[in-house]
Amino acid sequence: MTKQTPALSVQPQNPIPLAPSPIKLLTPNTPKFATSNLFPQPNNQLNDSIENNLRVVIKLNQRRVYLYQNQQLQTSYPIAVGREGWETPVGEYQVIEMISQPTWEHPFTGEIIPPGPDNPLGERWIGFWTDGKNYIGFHGTPNTETVGQAASHGCIRMFNQDVLALFQRVKIGTLVIVEP
């Protein structure tokens, strides 16, 4: 497999393989795929003050994600991380995409999986890495038994109720730190 570093300025220590795409999201920004509902960002000042000084820290070896605000731990959630050969990239990133009820395209067959209980992305998508074709992010999962495991193609799988809570707290631009 060919390995390639991401297009972002931060270079991960363990870049993921890029063929075929681990996640194909169907977003309004990528019309060649199909459609999805990009979740609108909140406009009120209360949400802006809540999200101020917010950062998300993924600790791969602990299989947990931690949410900090003003250097204070707010909460943490169990996660699944990238499996061998598809490791979650280590580094500093930002939330670049948020989608409610995502649609997914199977990377091998091209089958379109609409939002719903069988969608591998669950109820929410929070993207933080892309090379322009492949995406990595937080998402829910119908396969709850994989949470706590190295089971994904680089993404951070979460219980649906946990990704819903995280989705309410973060916004585009929120810092995401991935540690070994």
Side-chain angles (χ1 to χ4, degrees), residues 54-85:
L54 195 67
R55 67 185 162 102
V56 178
V57 179
I58 299 165
K59 295 190 179 192
L60 298 172
N61 62 350
Q62 294 179 12
R63 307 283 199 273
R64 288 196 79 81
V65 61
Y66 297 86
L67 183 66
Y68 292 90
Q69 184 176 12
N70 297 319
Q71 306 300 324
Q72 296 292 318
L73 178 64
Q74 300 296 299
T75 190
S76 74
Y77 305 104
I79 58 173
V81 300
R83 65 183 183 219
E84 186 177 340

Side-chain angles (χ1 to χ4, degrees), residues 78-138:
I79 58 173
V81 300
R83 65 183 183 219
E84 186 177 340
W86 295 91
E87 289 84 3
T88 304
V90 173
E92 290 189 14
Y93 309 96
Q94 292 181 346
V95 172
I96 56 174
E97 186 174 51
M98 296 179 67
I99 302 172
S100 178
Q101 300 300 322
T103 297
W104 181 69
E105 180 181 353
H106 192 288
F108 302 112
T109 67
E111 177 186 7
I112 303 298
I113 309 296
D118 296 327
N119 187 303
L121 300 180
E123 297 182 35
R124 298 291 186 272
W125 167 262
I126 306 168
F128 63 85
W129 180 96
T130 185
D131 64 359
K133 179 180 176 184
N134 304 293
Y135 294 84
I136 292 178
F138 301 91

Side-chain angles (χ1 to χ4, degrees), residues 1-6 11-19 83-88 129 131 134:
M1 268 185 237
T2 303
K3 292 196 176 198
Q4 179 179 353
T5 55
Q11 302 294 317
Q13 293 175 3
N14 299 313
I16 63 164
L18 297 178
R83 65 183 183 219
E84 186 177 340
W86 295 91
E87 289 84 3
T88 304
W129 180 96
D131 64 359
N134 304 293

Side-chain angles (χ1 to χ4, degrees), residues 39 42 47 50-51 98 124 163-170:
F39 194 81
N47 282 338
I50 290 172
E51 295 164 353
M98 296 179 67
R124 298 291 186 272
V163 78
L164 287 168
L166 184 63
F167 195 89
Q168 292 297 314
R169 297 292 305 273
V170 301

Side-chain angles (χ1 to χ4, degrees), residues 24 55 77 96 110 115 120 139 145 157 172:
K24 284 191 179 180
R55 67 185 162 102
Y77 305 104
I96 56 174
H139 63 81
E145 70 281 357
R157 291 183 190 170
I172 301 295

